[in-house]
Amino acid sequence: MPNPPPPRPSLVVAAAVVALLLAATLCHGGKTSLFVRKVEKTIDMPLDADVFAVPPGYNAPQQVHITQGDLLGEALIVSWVTVDEPGSSKVIYWKENSSQKKTAQGKASTYSYFNYTSGHIHHTTIRNLEHGTKYYYEVGIGHTVRQFWFVAPPEVGPDVPYTFGLIGDLGQSYDSNRTLAHYEMNPQKGQTVLFVGDLSYADNYPNHDNNRWDTWGRFVERSTAYQPWIWTAGNHELDFDPEIGETKPFKPFTHRYRTPFKASNSTAPLWYSIKRGPAHIIVLSSYSAYGKYTPQYKWLEAEFPKVNRAETPWLIVMMHSPWYNSYNYHYMEGESMRVMYETWFVQNKVDVVFAGHVHAYERSERVSNIAYNVVNGMCTPEIDQSAPVYITIGDGGNLEGLATNMTKPQPKYSAYREASFGHAIFDIKNRTHAYYSWHRNQDGYAVEADRHWFYNRYYNAAEEPSIV
């Protein structure tokens, strides 16, 4: 039998191209940005910088910040610090274009950490807010009064547009200031910040210098006093240092930053949930016990059945330590938590998970590794349209600098990664679509370095198209 004719060169080339593309699809991931940030050291702003200035006046309130105060957004926690004396914990507030003023009464407390004693930290909850209404509020009653404003969120519902800003690992460097300014100047205005942990980095200074909590609070006040920041605790909030006698984890953070944890039946302020507009947001603590039968585990197990996707179609999870991370920094630190909870995330069709910790940016494909167990050897993350997109946004700009060392080749679960500082916007349009964009500090305010259309996993669980 005669030998068959050799294949035409064009077919050989085509077959080779197909094989290479298939290999790339199976072995390599998405895009590693070609943008190269100018090599420069991250430097803290000096303590006499204007962003750290103490407001003038006797006992003037400082470090003013607000966060959601209940499950549905009908309450707001207002917090601030007075230094000269306790003063009043009263908040006076009123609706825009109204002369009728109301008052809310809170409480003040102090704490000590090593050789530091805090100012008087006030927390006051305003209740029965009208959805979508702009309010003015005043603090410092009886001494130096300071006035701010906020807008209450829309009523919880599936087709309510709402825009979240995303910031993580901020610190108080010149790059931190650029990140916050870039977020403030973004024409696509965030209405609430989802903050994924690591606030002041006070623990990076000798004896966890808690004065750095004060400077940080004054630095971010220009945003935190006007829109709620939803807090996640990171490793730099632990402040656990037995060598100086400090053995209570999260002491400064929990005294200064309150969360509405009781509204979602949580037993601790470090894990909780809220509803805001069309989103159900679950906040987890990467540095609290999360194994089986722990309080956090039992709470999350009970929380998922409460999610009503007909009411809040967008299911968002926040944590600090990422589960999917292709940088050589903090690599696989979130693995044990992933093993505990990932199946729940896939079963409940979480739309997106935001994390920090790694000081760079990365967005994943929709992937899961729930098929793996210790005997079947199936240990490679696979594309899974029921799984969340995992976004690491620990790129706020803190003193520790950028994570620039990436694993190579880029794994297939990684869609886009870049070692730059920045922030992101998650703009929910309706029950089916949300537009996401990431903005590096070096660009103009409207420039999108990465972008992605999210299709809701409950109402529109189709595969999302890539945006080049």
Side-chain angles (χ1 to χ4, degrees):
M1 187 177 210
N3 292 327
R8 294 196 301 267
S10 59
L11 293 178
V12 174
V13 171
V17 169
V18 170
L20 286 171
L21 289 174
L22 183 59
T25 301
L26 294 175
C27 300
H28 301 288
K31 178 180 179 182
T32 297
S33 172
L34 298 178
F35 177 84
V36 179
R37 181 180 182 269
K38 180 182 177 183
V39 178
E40 54 189 359
K41 187 177 181 180
T42 303
I43 301 172
D44 264 349
M45 293 178 285
L47 291 176
D48 60 356
D50 58 353
V51 298
F52 297 146
V54 175
Y58 179 76
N59 213 34
Q62 58 173 269
Q63 306 171 52
V64 181
H65 55 275
I66 59 177
T67 193
Q68 186 156 318
D70 67 348
L71 187 64
L72 301 176
E74 296 169 350
L76 188 84
I77 302 171
V78 183
S79 304
W80 70 97
V81 176
T82 54
V83 175
D84 300 309
E85 61 173 279
S88 173
S89 295
K90 182 185 297 183
V91 175
I92 296 177
Y93 63 102
W94 63 96
K95 292 187 291 185
E96 185 180 33
N97 301 321
S98 173
S99 59
Q100 183 182 3
K101 296 186 176 182
K102 298 181 180 180
T103 62
Q105 184 64 47
K107 295 181 179 180
S109 64
T110 63
Y111 75 92
S112 295
Y113 189 97
F114 188 54
N115 60 356
Y116 168 92
T117 299
S118 73
H120 304 278
I121 305 170
H122 303 257
H123 300 289
T124 302
T125 301
I126 301 173
R127 303 187 186 278
N128 300 315
L129 297 171
E130 294 182 13
H131 290 289
T133 301
K134 185 175 182 177
Y135 287 85
Y136 292 90
Y137 70 98
E138 292 179 341
V139 292
I141 309 305
H143 291 130
T144 301
V145 176
R146 297 184 68 201
Q147 184 182 116
F148 306 91
W149 57 265
F150 66 90
V151 178
E155 190 170 359
V156 171
D159 290 309
V160 179
Y162 202 79
T163 305
F164 294 98
L166 285 141
I167 301 175
D169 300 69
L170 189 57
Q172 41 198 306
S173 72
Y174 285 104
D175 287 300
S176 312
N177 195 32
R178 292 185 190 103
T179 297
L180 189 55
H182 211 226
Y183 168 68
E184 293 171 310
M185 297 300 291
N186 192 325
Q188 194 176 18
K189 295 299 182 185
Q191 297 164 271
T192 293
V193 170
L194 303 181
F195 191 85
V196 294
D198 283 1
L199 286 70
S200 70
Y201 286 79
D203 63 340
N204 274 7
Y205 303 89
N207 299 317
H208 297 234
D209 184 1
N210 272 226
N211 291 292
R212 283 294 186 168
W213 278 103
D214 295 316
T215 55
W216 193 83
R218 294 196 293 270
F219 159 51
V220 297
E221 182 191 83
R222 69 201 208 213
S223 176
T224 61
Y226 296 94
Q227 62 177 235
W229 284 39
I230 308 304
W231 303 109
T232 309
N235 56 301
H236 285 279
E237 279 69 72
L238 273 164
D239 282 303
F240 176 79
D241 193 346
E243 292 184 2
I244 60 174
E246 293 297 341
T247 58
K248 183 178 180 181
F250 303 105
K251 184 201 282 187
F253 174 75
T254 53
H255 274 84
R256 292 171 181 271
Y257 294 92
R258 293 294 167 89
T259 65
F261 68 98
K262 293 181 181 178
S264 57
N265 296 317
S266 171
T267 56
L270 304 173
W271 57 88
Y272 61 98
S273 73
I274 60 169
K275 300 177 184 180
R276 199 162 186 90
H280 189 120
I281 300 166
I282 293 174
V283 179
L284 298 179
S285 177
S286 299
Y287 303 96
S288 302
Y290 49 74
K292 201 165 188 179
Y293 307 126
T294 61
Q296 186 169 199
Y297 178 98
K298 295 299 290 182
W299 175 82
L300 185 59
E301 183 179 39
E303 178 68 14
F304 274 122
K306 297 177 183 177
V307 178
N308 179 0
R309 302 298 280 272
E311 175 191 57
T312 50
W314 293 94
L315 181 52
I316 298 169
V317 176
M318 299 165 60
M319 61 181 68
H320 186 64
S321 186
W323 292 358
Y324 289 92
N325 162 36
S326 68
Y327 290 81
N328 286 318
Y329 300 82
H330 305 303
Y331 185 64
M332 292 188 76
E333 283 185 19
E335 183 65 5
S336 58
M337 194 182 207
R338 183 198 66 77
V339 171
M340 292 301 305
Y341 295 154
E342 187 179 24
T343 299
W344 289 352
F345 282 29
V346 174
Q347 289 174 347
N348 290 281
K349 298 183 184 298
V350 172
D351 290 291
V352 59
V353 177
F354 295 111
H357 200 37
V358 177
H359 298 164
Y361 173 72
E362 186 165 21
R363 172 174 56 85
S364 81
E365 304 287 357
R366 291 199 179 276
V367 292
S368 72
N369 200 13
I370 58 176
Y372 169 69
N373 61 50
V374 294
V375 297
N376 67 12
M378 299 171 63
C379 56
T380 302
E382 298 292 340
I383 298 297
D384 186 341
Q385 293 304 321
S386 293
V389 170
Y390 293 88
I391 291 176
T392 300
I393 191 155
D395 55 356
N398 66 82
L399 184 63
E400 292 178 347
L402 281 169
T404 56
N405 191 343
M406 305 175 185
T407 61
K408 296 178 182 179
Q410 184 174 2
K412 68 177 183 179
Y413 64 74
S414 176
Y416 183 95
R417 60 185 184 176
E418 179 175 320
S420 292
F421 292 132
H423 73 276
I425 298 289
F426 191 71
D427 184 17
I428 299 175
K429 304 294 187 182
N430 51 41
R431 74 181 68 194
T432 59
H433 289 79
Y435 186 74
Y436 168 83
S437 56
W438 175 70
H439 305 257
R440 71 168 75 90
N441 286 355
Q442 283 74 22
D443 294 334
Y445 299 125
V447 175
E448 300 169 344
D450 182 38
R451 52 187 177 153
H452 182 71
W453 272 106
F454 276 79
Y455 292 177
N456 184 266
R457 293 300 91 188
Y458 182 81
Y459 281 106
N460 186 22
E463 184 174 354
E464 295 149 336
S466 298
I467 301 177
V468 180

